[in-house]
Amino acid sequence: MGIKPNMAELETYCAKQIKQYDYDRFLVTLFAPADVREDLFALYAFNHEVAKIREAVSEPMLGEIRLQWWRESIDGIYDDNPRNHEVVLPLSAAIKRSGIAKDRFMAIIDARQADIYDENPKTVSEFEEYLGNTSGNLMRLAALMIGERDEKVLELSYDLGMVWGLVGTLRAIRYHISMNKLSFPQDAMDSFGVKKNDIFAAEKNENLSKMIESFCMSATGYLDQIANEKGRLSKETKSIFLLGALSRSYLNMFKAAGYNPFEINEKASTFQRQCRLFFSALLGRI
């Protein structure tokens, strides 16, 4: 596993988009086999396109229209009639090379419908379903694009995606507040005595910290289970599982902040996080 990108593959539209908007996945993708990097960039660019819809529209109906555009675009790819779009065309090429089915793509799009409405999940199960249908399915698709077909490994990639989705939700608290959006499940908030105003106050709150600590412990448990199964991973597939190393780094960042989401400092831990990624790749850790 190593980084041997040529400049051409880093200058494509999708690669530039991921480097700008999803830098962690950009770095991880550099460790993937050279012949699938652009396919992964296209996959992640698709994810960025549907994930950013909430912030790009002024009302839910406009979001619904954009989601429908992407449903039709995926249908077009599988009907051998892809739209002339800077993400659709390379995604179409990636899908043809990998031969993967379209159901997971549609599940990602359908799940993103929840983003354009500002109601938080009612239950932890509903929250986990959302994480699975979005980030979990994305990681499963990434494994399939690399060529993985072992169902157990695909399940592990799905679990890693859920962890990454949870970590992303925790990191995005301030951003979600700016959009007047609440992403935590209501039953978890009730269980820990967390009120919406506690989150939107953007101040240290003991109950909120305890809830976030619980989420972080759950994520760590998933990562430990995945690490115990690393012997099943091929060299090629192991590259995308490096996202687990970054997940642990972010979880450690929350721990260092006392699980206060308003005290985390991502920039201060950037170098440490990137070192962890490099040594994880070098030593075969996930």
Side-chain angles (χ1 to χ4, degrees):
M1 191 187 305
I3 304 179
K4 296 180 181 179
N6 59 58
M7 291 306 296
E9 70 183 16
L10 298 185
E11 290 299 317
T12 66
Y13 177 85
C14 292
K16 288 180 177 179
Q17 288 290 293
I18 299 311
K19 184 176 182 180
Q20 181 175 356
Y21 297 111
D22 197 351
Y23 193 63
D24 286 328
R25 278 203 180 97
F26 175 81
L27 290 178
V28 168
T29 303
L30 297 182
F31 290 94
D35 60 347
V36 297
R37 284 180 195 145
E38 176 57 19
D39 291 352
L40 291 173
F41 285 141
L43 173 66
Y44 298 147
F46 154 76
N47 179 65
H48 172 66
E49 290 288 328
V50 295
K52 73 177 184 179
I53 288 176
R54 168 62 177 83
E55 65 189 68
V57 299
S58 57
E59 57 183 83
M61 183 55 68
L62 297 176
E64 295 278 11
I65 291 171
R66 292 198 180 198
L67 289 173
Q68 183 58 29
W69 188 93
W70 275 103
R71 290 187 188 95
E72 293 171 359
S73 294
I74 296 299
D75 279 334
I77 288 174
Y78 283 89
D79 291 337
D80 292 323
N81 186 29
R83 281 176 162 147
N84 185 17
H85 181 271
E86 56 267 26
V87 174
V88 174
L89 289 177
L91 181 61
S92 176
I95 288 171
K96 287 182 183 297
R97 278 190 287 269
S98 60
I100 54 182
K102 73 176 180 180
D103 57 339
R104 302 276 173 174
F105 289 99
M106 291 302 192
I108 290 173
I109 296 171
D110 290 344
R112 286 294 177 183
Q113 189 173 25
D115 292 352
I116 62 178
Y117 298 96
D118 292 329
E119 295 182 2
N120 59 313
K122 293 181 176 61
T123 65
V124 170
S125 294
E126 186 178 325
F127 181 50
E128 291 178 343
E129 183 179 7
Y130 168 81
L131 294 175
N133 282 332
T134 53
S135 190
N137 276 332
L138 186 70
M139 286 302 296
R140 184 182 175 101
L141 287 170
L144 286 166
M145 281 191 173
I146 283 185
E148 185 60 63
R149 295 297 183 268
D150 183 306
E151 185 57 36
K152 177 59 178 179
V153 175
L154 294 175
E155 290 175 4
L156 293 173
S157 65
Y158 179 92
D159 290 344
L160 177 58
M162 288 185 63
V163 170
W164 188 249
L166 172 60
V167 169
T169 300
L170 298 177
R171 292 168 56 204
I173 289 178
R174 283 188 179 275
Y175 178 63
H176 288 166
I177 289 173
S178 72
M179 296 194 301
N180 197 38
K181 183 174 178 62
L182 186 62
S183 298
F184 293 116
Q186 190 60 50
D187 63 348
M189 291 174 57
D190 293 341
S191 177
F192 284 92
V194 177
K195 307 297 183 184
K196 180 177 180 179
N197 288 342
D198 295 334
I199 299 175
F200 278 65
E203 297 176 352
K204 183 177 181 178
N205 180 281
E206 183 177 350
N207 290 342
L208 176 60
S209 294
K210 288 181 178 178
M211 183 179 74
I212 289 177
E213 180 180 8
S214 175
F215 281 130
C216 288
M217 293 301 99
S218 177
T220 299
Y222 271 105
L223 291 174
D224 289 344
Q225 292 175 25
I226 293 168
N228 288 336
E229 298 284 350
K230 70 177 183 179
R232 301 182 67 101
L233 306 180
S234 67
K235 178 181 178 181
E236 293 76 18
T237 304
K238 191 175 289 185
S239 63
I240 64 171
F241 276 80
L242 291 172
L243 211 57
L246 292 179
S247 296
R248 289 187 187 275
S249 182
Y250 281 119
L251 292 170
N252 287 339
M253 176 188 69
F254 274 96
K255 183 178 181 180
Y259 300 103
N260 177 1
F262 309 113
E263 288 293 326
I264 63 173
N265 188 338
E266 291 197 12
K267 289 185 178 180
S269 60
T270 297
F271 179 72
Q272 179 183 12
R273 189 160 51 252
Q274 292 176 358
C275 285
R276 181 169 192 149
L277 173 64
F278 176 79
F279 283 109
S280 293
L282 185 66
L283 301 175
R285 298 173 180 168
I286 59 172

